[in-house]
Amino acid sequence: MSRTPLDLTALEPLAEKFAAACSQDLASLLSVTLELRGAVVESVSAEEAAAHPTPVVHLGCHTEDNPPLPVHLVVPRTDAVTLAGLQLGEDESAMKARREQALEPDYLTAFEGAMKLAVAVLGRLFEEELGSSDIQLEATDEIEKPGSDPGWLGAEHLLRISFDLSIEGFPRGQLEILVPDASAEAEAIERDEEAGPIFVIDPSEEERAAVEELEAELARRVTGLDPDEVVQGERGELDDAAAVIVAWDLGGRPGLEQVENFAWDESMDGLPILMASEAPTRGKVTAALRAGARSFVHRPYDAAEIRRRAFGVS
């Protein structure tokens, strides 16, 4: 049986059924009054999905389809502590001390135990409603901090189901389910095919020549520009650009300055701006995002990575 394509229409009724079944199972497991409610289903970018005001606990899963469908369950750390503490039978005073630090192994294990119930419910509904194979637990729990690179989500466009998590005696919490949004990716591909060229500002003549050879793979014109050809603070010949890639080091001045100038230019609003480096570090990625870049790519340049980071398609 083939899997029904995932879109907002398919997920909306599934979200309500999940809330009802999962609420019942979790309440029974934890011996509390618990309810998931207020389901909101929406299409979001990876950057939006990864942007949380506080640290979260992420549990990665996948279906056994071919190809497998990645599924992410995301819970704010404070709510993960509550679920784990209830599973362990601890009182609120013990949980309070845990909420300000990374989850320790016993709490991670207890949280995973509670989430396995949610995974089981979700897997059953995926099979009944979408014709998907059972969901299997895959990844270990991990803390993702605010502003982290959204690359851990594995897709540029996602469908997000958000629930309010109500547990008697505790502040209102939240639980999110994230899956790739195939329809948004298809639309992005269509827009991509109609868009303009990619400009790559790089001091290396060798790198500029190499990236221009990716035109066939990218299905669009690629133009390498020497930084000296780009007047700082002016858009110039980038008028019809579909995306701009700026090297981290522009051979005498930092690429961050160029990215900041582009980001402040209202005429470039919405234009994907990427930064590039041989070895992107967390510090470089964070600085690039703060300067206004959409994402970061590696040098030497790779067509698949450029398409994924600039246009959200594989």
Side-chain angles (χ1 to χ4, degrees):
M1 179 167 54
S2 61
R3 184 175 71 214
T4 301
L6 280 177
D7 56 23
L8 294 174
T9 303
L11 282 187
E12 283 170 354
L14 185 146
E16 295 297 336
K17 292 181 180 180
F18 172 83
C22 191
S23 295
Q24 183 176 349
D25 287 358
L26 283 175
S28 177
L29 173 72
L30 303 175
S31 300
V32 294
T33 300
L34 180 152
E35 184 181 6
L36 290 171
R37 56 192 177 193
V40 176
V41 184
E42 56 191 336
S43 179
V44 297
S45 68
E47 286 78 10
E48 291 173 306
H52 289 86
T54 59
V56 298
V57 180
H58 156 245
L59 188 67
C61 315
H62 68 95
T63 67
E64 289 194 325
D65 298 305
N66 186 17
L69 176 72
V71 181
H72 305 278
L73 282 79
V74 180
V75 179
R77 183 172 66 195
T78 54
D79 301 324
V81 167
T82 299
L83 292 169
L86 289 169
Q87 173 84 316
L88 293 170
E90 295 196 346
D91 58 25
E92 169 60 19
S93 60
M95 296 182 206
K96 184 177 181 180
R98 303 261 200 165
R99 290 197 173 99
E100 302 303 320
Q101 58 192 25
L103 270 68
E104 296 178 5
D106 60 335
Y107 260 52
L108 283 173
T109 300
F111 171 74
E112 183 176 337
M115 286 298 97
K116 280 183 177 178
L117 281 182
V119 171
V121 172
L122 194 59
R124 184 173 70 249
L125 290 172
F126 266 48
E127 186 171 14
E128 293 173 356
E129 303 289 328
L130 307 175
S132 179
S133 300
D134 287 341
I135 292 182
Q136 302 296 319
L137 204 60
E138 180 188 52
T140 56
D141 310 287
E142 56 186 87
I143 302 294
E144 294 291 342
K145 295 188 181 299
S148 63
D149 183 356
W152 60 274
L153 288 164
E156 293 296 324
H157 302 278
L158 298 115
L159 294 170
R160 177 171 64 191
I161 313 175
S162 303
F163 302 93
D164 286 336
L165 174 61
S166 174
I167 303 176
E168 186 176 15
F170 294 90
R172 186 179 66 180
Q174 189 177 39
L175 183 147
E176 294 179 354
I177 299 171
L178 298 164
V179 295
D181 185 349
S183 60
E185 181 162 322
E187 291 172 5
I189 291 174
E190 185 176 343
R191 291 195 303 270
D192 185 28
E193 291 172 347
E194 297 173 354
I198 298 172
F199 290 94
V200 181
I201 304 172
D202 196 300
S204 167
E205 184 176 353
E206 182 180 345
E207 290 290 352
R208 294 197 301 271
V211 75
E212 288 179 353
E213 292 180 2
L214 300 179
E215 285 189 346
E217 291 181 67
L218 290 164
R220 64 175 63 245
R221 182 164 57 88
V222 180
T223 300
L225 296 175
D226 187 294
D228 292 338
E229 299 177 57
V230 181
V231 178
Q232 196 167 3
E234 295 184 14
R235 180 164 182 168
E237 67 177 282
L238 307 180
D239 256 355
D240 61 343
V244 178
I245 302 174
V246 181
W248 179 262
D249 181 357
L250 293 182
R253 61 185 174 93
L256 280 174
E257 291 182 2
Q258 185 68 69
V259 169
E260 287 174 342
N261 287 329
F262 286 156
W264 279 99
D265 186 342
E266 292 183 0
S267 70
M268 299 181 76
D269 187 39
L271 178 70
I273 301 171
L274 312 181
M275 290 209 76
S277 174
E278 286 83 356
T281 62
R282 182 175 292 273
K284 286 183 178 180
V285 172
T286 300
L289 295 177
R290 287 176 177 168
R294 174 175 295 187
S295 192
F296 219 103
V297 295
H298 290 78
R299 293 170 79 237
Y301 298 100
D302 175 78
E305 184 180 31
I306 291 172
R307 285 177 62 86
R308 185 171 67 253
R309 297 297 188 186
F311 309 116
V313 296
S314 55

